[in-house]
Amino acid sequence: MADAAGRLTKLAEEVLGAPLPMRIRAWDRSESGPPGAPTLVIRHRRALRRLLFKPGELGLARAWVAGDLDIEGDLYEALDRLAGLIWERNDAPKRAAALRALVRPEFRAAARELLTLAGAPVPPTPPAEEVRRRRGPLHTLRRDKEAISHHYDVGNDFYALVLGPSMVYSCAYWGTPEAAGESAATLEDAQRDKLDLICRKLGLQEGARLLDVGCGWGSMVLHAAREYGVRAVGITLSEEQATFARKRISEAGLADRIEIRVQDYREIHDEPFDAISSVGMAEHVGRTQYAEYAGALHSLLKPGGRLLNHQIARRPVVDEDAYHVDDFIDRYVFPDGELAPLGRTVGQLEDAGFEVRDVEAIREHYALTLRHWVANLEEHWDEAARLTSVGRARVWRLYMAASALSFERNRIGVNQVLAVRTPESGTSGVPLRARDWRTGAHRG
């Protein structure tokens, strides 16, 4: 069993047809690979069994969450190197070359050796943090509530460590590159600026009625009521979020202006609203329900009312029907969540009757935001693990760091889409030079 790392490196390079860009340290303390590179630490041979029984992303995810795999060195650099291999495998000629390698006699011998290295041929139990049992069709009221609970009901104290005082779980808005630096604006400043940007895009004024769909811990409705004098309704499917938001609102003395409900957007029947914000919520809706989502929000607005839809987008693919959510994200992070290309989102909003007036792409802002969240988690690692579990903390660290890289490399983006329920008169109410966003009475 000596030199497990060297044997694994050889096997990996045979499959990849290229040098392994990372160092490997195995459970027998052997090491192999380029000196100075980030190190993939295989703490237990159980990690190999996870890969053998679930080859690909799900096996790797289970090994990571369970602590069978780890990374020493710069996490972002390691994930970037690994992502390069994954994305290159999507290139057809390289994928074909990798498949040809599988049938070579020397590879078959290496595969047998991998079986020997893995040990007992028994599938390991998936980590407790994995979602395994999901009932009923996609995106029913019950199943959506269960999916939201998995992601958000993991403890308000945990999220406070990661998100910081703003308690905003969506992309912040950084004014300049320097503003993201440690010596300039804080994450809380950037989140406040994002909330204020949304309020200005919506043209909020004193007495307006705002609906915040997916209100989270209440930050958007609090800012809108405090700074713009609106009356607000915030809805969430998370009981823990609702409890936290109501407490914040009471402490701010705004309980007479803000109502928080545990409610699905399909259950709202007290329209009309002057404005609707949907920030980081539409990713949970799903492609089969998106037309209903867009239609519901259109019907909830009064004529001339505005919608600000802040949503993560993926890059289009040649065969859209073949798109599926990454196994790691689906099993551990956002069960049943789906991303859509920006063009589809705009088209479906238009199909629902909206006039789309502005689209602002802010993906670089999300990369900066995520790096701040990762830093917060790492700084408070022991407490975060105690508040949830070590496995849950590992899930969040991996998904946030990998997501930051995906935004930086333009694999995913995030966009603010401003749409109006423009009346038959054609009067949208949007200023001629919309990007000034100077309508609305800011009272701060």
Side-chain angles (χ1 to χ4, degrees):
M1 193 65 65
D3 194 27
R7 294 153 75 181
L8 289 169
T9 298
K10 179 182 177 182
L11 174 60
E13 291 180 345
E14 287 182 7
V15 175
L16 297 171
L20 191 67
M22 294 186 65
R23 192 165 179 81
I24 289 179
R25 181 187 307 138
W27 60 92
D28 63 353
R29 300 185 180 181
S30 62
E31 295 192 28
S32 176
T39 300
L40 182 66
V41 182
I42 306 174
R43 298 193 184 282
H44 198 286
R45 54 169 37 187
R46 183 172 50 240
L48 304 182
R49 295 202 292 275
R50 294 189 188 279
L51 282 168
L52 285 169
F53 283 98
K54 283 293 180 182
E57 184 175 312
L58 184 56
L60 284 169
R62 287 174 171 175
W64 171 270
V65 176
D68 299 333
L69 283 181
D70 212 338
I71 289 174
E72 288 187 4
D74 188 284
L75 177 62
Y76 295 102
E77 182 184 354
L79 292 176
D80 212 16
R81 293 185 182 211
L82 288 172
L85 293 175
I86 294 169
W87 285 85
E88 284 183 2
R89 294 304 107 187
N90 290 332
D91 180 83
K94 291 181 179 179
R95 185 168 60 247
L99 291 172
R100 286 195 297 271
L102 296 177
V103 300
R104 295 205 310 263
E106 59 269 32
F107 179 83
R108 291 200 298 270
R112 288 194 295 270
E113 184 174 10
L114 177 61
L115 289 170
T116 301
L117 286 169
V122 178
T125 302
E129 291 78 10
E130 180 174 317
V131 172
R132 293 188 291 278
R133 296 181 61 186
R134 283 179 273 190
R135 299 169 292 171
L138 275 172
H139 302 300
T140 61
L141 295 177
R142 183 180 69 179
R143 182 156 167 170
D144 278 355
K145 185 174 177 63
E146 290 173 351
I148 292 298
S149 179
H150 172 84
H151 187 80
Y152 294 101
D153 291 340
V154 298
N156 294 326
D157 291 341
F158 170 79
Y159 274 106
L161 292 179
V162 175
L163 304 180
S166 68
M167 289 300 286
V168 179
Y169 192 26
S170 56
C171 174
Y173 195 72
W174 306 93
T176 64
E178 293 76 20
E182 295 180 1
S183 61
T186 65
L187 174 61
E188 188 174 9
D189 293 332
Q191 291 291 14
R192 182 199 59 236
D193 289 348
K194 185 269 300 295
L195 297 176
D196 203 68
L197 175 68
I198 292 171
C199 290
R200 286 182 280 125
K201 286 183 176 183
L202 289 172
L204 296 183
Q205 298 186 36
E206 183 87 29
R209 191 164 186 247
L210 169 70
L211 171 65
D212 187 31
V213 181
C215 67
W217 293 272
S219 298
M220 176 65 198
V221 290
L222 273 166
H223 184 86
R226 183 173 53 239
E227 304 298 336
Y228 290 82
V230 306
R231 293 174 295 115
V233 174
I235 63 169
T236 176
L237 296 180
S238 166
E239 298 283 354
E240 290 194 21
Q241 284 186 333
T243 298
F244 189 93
R246 288 169 184 149
K247 183 174 185 292
R248 294 177 76 191
I249 290 162
S250 177
E251 291 173 350
L254 292 169
D256 61 328
R257 304 192 67 86
I258 303 172
E259 179 187 4
I260 299 296
R261 305 173 185 169
V262 178
Q263 188 176 39
D264 191 280
Y265 69 92
R266 291 164 284 193
E267 300 175 310
I268 300 174
H269 304 293
D270 56 332
E271 67 273 9
F273 293 89
D274 298 287
I276 298 176
S277 53
S278 179
V279 183
M281 177 272 175
E283 298 88 342
H284 297 288
V285 171
R287 74 176 83 182
T288 61
Q289 293 297 124
Y290 205 93
E292 181 180 353
Y293 161 79
L297 299 193
H298 185 269
S299 68
L300 291 170
L301 278 172
K302 72 174 187 179
R306 300 183 193 178
L307 164 70
L308 192 287
N309 188 72
H310 176 121
Q311 181 178 343
I312 297 172
R314 62 175 170 83
R315 302 294 299 168
V317 295
V318 174
D319 183 3
E320 284 290 330
D321 291 335
Y323 163 75
H324 69 282
V325 181
D326 294 341
D327 286 333
F328 170 63
I329 297 296
D330 187 51
R331 296 289 188 100
Y332 288 96
V333 186
F334 291 107
D336 299 337
E338 296 178 75
L339 301 183
L342 173 61
R344 179 189 292 175
T345 296
V346 170
Q348 290 187 295
L349 290 173
E350 290 181 326
D351 289 343
F354 282 107
E355 179 189 8
V356 173
R357 294 300 305 246
D358 186 78
V359 177
E360 184 175 4
I362 55 174
R363 68 173 175 83
E364 293 90 347
H365 294 254
Y366 218 155
L368 291 168
T369 305
L370 283 156
R371 283 181 176 264
H372 277 73
W373 289 344
V374 171
N376 285 346
L377 177 59
E378 291 176 342
E379 182 180 351
H380 301 97
W381 181 261
D382 290 342
E383 186 177 359
R386 178 181 59 79
L387 289 170
T388 53
S389 68
V390 173
R392 181 76 65 187
R394 290 176 67 82
V395 167
W396 256 245
R397 182 172 181 246
L398 178 62
Y399 112 78
M400 291 192 299
S403 296
L405 289 170
S406 292
F407 282 108
E408 289 169 357
R409 301 296 184 262
N410 192 28
R411 294 170 189 146
I412 54 177
V414 62
N415 306 280
Q416 288 191 352
V417 179
L418 179 69
V420 181
R421 182 177 175 174
T422 303
E424 292 184 5
S425 67
T427 304
S428 70
V430 177
L432 290 175
R433 304 182 75 173
R435 281 294 174 90
D436 288 339
W437 303 122
R438 289 175 184 169
T439 59
H442 182 226
R443 304 184 304 110

